[in-house]
Amino acid sequence: MVFKRLLGSLGVGAPTIDTVLEPAPVVPGGALGGQVHLKGGQADFDIEHITLDLVARVEAEHAEGESEGTVVFDRFTVGGGFRLAAGESRSVPFGVTLPWETPVTELYGQPLGIVLGVRTEVAVAGAKDQGDLDPLTVTPLPAQEAILEAFGQLGFGFKSADLEYGHIGGTGQLLPFYQEIELHPAPQYAHQVNEIELTFLAGPGGLEVVLEADKRGGLLSSGHDALTRVTVGHHDTRDWTAEVDGWIRRLLENRSTYGASPAYGHAAPYADHEHHGSGEHRHHEEHHRSGPGVGTAIAAGAAGLAVGVVGGMVAAEVVDEVGDFFEGDEDEG
């Protein structure tokens, strides 16, 4: 076992800490398990609490342009209240539940460019130290996967994905940011739209699916954005290809513009790069729905979108990008 971080705020001889997540990917709303390994230092220390922060890198638009920052979107206390003797090794197991709106970081094993992590904080003798940061891999829920599969079958291709700070008006969104998955249009729609932006807002009983189209302009009109929103259950079994095709057709018939639509918009300007979303954003009304069903298994080999992921910049560059993010975050800690 290699202990990653010395609890530097306590000086030489302090305990060391390493958090190990269970290797299996997790899904939004699912269980995340692991262990926090502690190694005692040169003296006894009272461990007051061990806290896990769920961290995301997000983008924000504001008056000065765009910026990126770190958002803490949930926090869990998983242990504490014990004395760690000098040289003692101790492991603290944990199991926490991810927020339903946790972004998806990979599709069919291919990274999407979304950066999430689990950061461990240990409080010892009144001092807090952010001792560890580990990448978090999240795969789609069955309904999310089925919808993405349908887009692939229709000929849409993956372009990029990011996390946008703000709130989509008229939805049950709880986190302070949302995920946008940008898709190249299928050939049959390429003359009508430049790209499709897809957002999933998962909840206990289903998904809100928000679609936005950057529509092409004609000779006598300028292009504009159109929007549609639908709700599906976790347990729904549909002809997803026909269903998604119907959504796209309705979307392209929607003449409302982005600025005029009350259903989609950003929150207040991004003022601080550190936000704690779990407590401050829980005041939004929650939807009371039934629990999720098993869903339909989708074969990875049949996914049209996966080809786009492999062929795009994401698969080639996201590993370096994720590494740089976490190394920089650790350096700051």
Side-chain angles (χ1 to χ4, degrees):
M1 175 62 63
V2 178
F3 289 92
K4 295 182 178 180
R5 290 287 298 271
L6 177 72
L7 296 182
S9 62
L10 301 179
V12 177
T16 55
I17 179 174
D18 182 35
T19 299
V20 178
L21 304 179
E22 292 180 356
V26 293
V27 297
L32 172 67
Q35 294 193 20
V36 178
H37 299 293
L38 297 167
K39 177 69 173 179
Q42 296 178 6
D44 295 353
F45 286 89
D46 290 322
I47 307 299
E48 296 173 359
H49 68 74
I50 302 171
T51 302
L52 303 180
D53 288 343
L54 301 184
V55 181
R57 188 187 63 188
V58 305
E59 299 178 0
E61 297 179 1
H62 44 75
E64 291 74 28
E66 294 185 354
S67 63
E68 291 187 346
T70 300
V71 172
V72 175
F73 63 96
D74 216 336
R75 172 171 286 181
F76 310 92
T77 298
V78 297
F82 61 87
R83 171 161 290 191
L84 184 69
E88 177 189 357
S89 295
R90 182 181 291 216
S91 295
V92 178
F94 62 84
V96 300
T97 301
L98 298 182
W100 280 99
E101 294 174 18
T102 300
V104 174
T105 67
E106 73 172 31
L107 177 63
Y108 305 112
Q110 298 296 326
L112 300 180
I114 299 299
V115 181
L116 300 182
V118 178
R119 185 168 62 197
T120 307
E121 178 184 276
V122 176
V124 182
K128 296 181 180 179
D129 194 286
Q130 295 176 353
D132 201 7
L133 183 63
D134 297 275
L136 176 62
T137 300
V138 182
T139 57
L141 292 161
Q144 293 173 325
E145 191 171 279
I147 291 168
L148 290 167
E149 162 71 9
F151 274 101
Q153 294 293 339
L154 288 168
F156 287 83
F158 178 83
K159 181 179 180 182
S160 65
D162 60 20
L163 304 181
E164 295 285 342
Y165 185 75
H167 186 269
I168 302 177
T171 69
Q173 181 186 340
L174 297 177
L175 294 186
F177 59 84
Y178 53 91
Q179 181 175 19
E180 282 187 345
I181 300 173
E182 297 181 357
L183 305 174
H184 293 293
Q188 64 269 31
Y189 295 121
H191 65 290
Q192 294 176 273
V193 64
N194 293 310
E195 68 178 21
I196 296 290
E197 293 179 351
L198 169 66
T199 294
F200 294 117
L201 297 174
L207 304 173
E208 291 180 87
V209 184
V210 181
L211 296 173
E212 185 183 7
D214 178 10
K215 298 178 72 172
R216 295 187 184 277
L219 292 175
L220 301 178
S221 64
S222 60
H224 64 273
D225 293 341
L227 180 80
T228 193
R229 186 175 66 243
V230 295
T231 301
V232 301
H234 289 296
H235 59 281
D236 287 3
T237 55
R238 310 183 187 183
D239 181 344
W240 286 110
T241 303
E243 187 79 14
V244 170
D245 191 52
W247 297 348
I248 297 300
R249 293 181 186 277
R250 290 198 301 273
L251 174 64
L252 297 182
E253 292 170 358
N254 185 352
R255 306 304 298 177
S256 64
T257 64
Y258 181 97
S261 174
Y264 199 85
H266 296 280
Y270 189 59
D272 189 346
H273 281 202
E274 190 75 12
H275 297 265
H276 299 277
S278 60
E280 297 173 9
H281 294 266
R282 290 295 187 260
H283 63 276
H284 296 294
E285 180 181 359
E286 294 192 32
H287 295 277
H288 301 284
R289 299 167 176 161
S290 59
V294 175
T296 304
I298 305 297
L305 282 185
V307 176
V309 175
V310 175
M313 59 77 66
V314 171
E317 299 180 8
V318 72
V319 174
D320 291 337
E321 198 170 295
V322 171
D324 291 344
F325 173 73
F326 285 116
E327 287 173 8
D329 195 290
E330 289 190 345
D331 290 342
E332 293 173 5

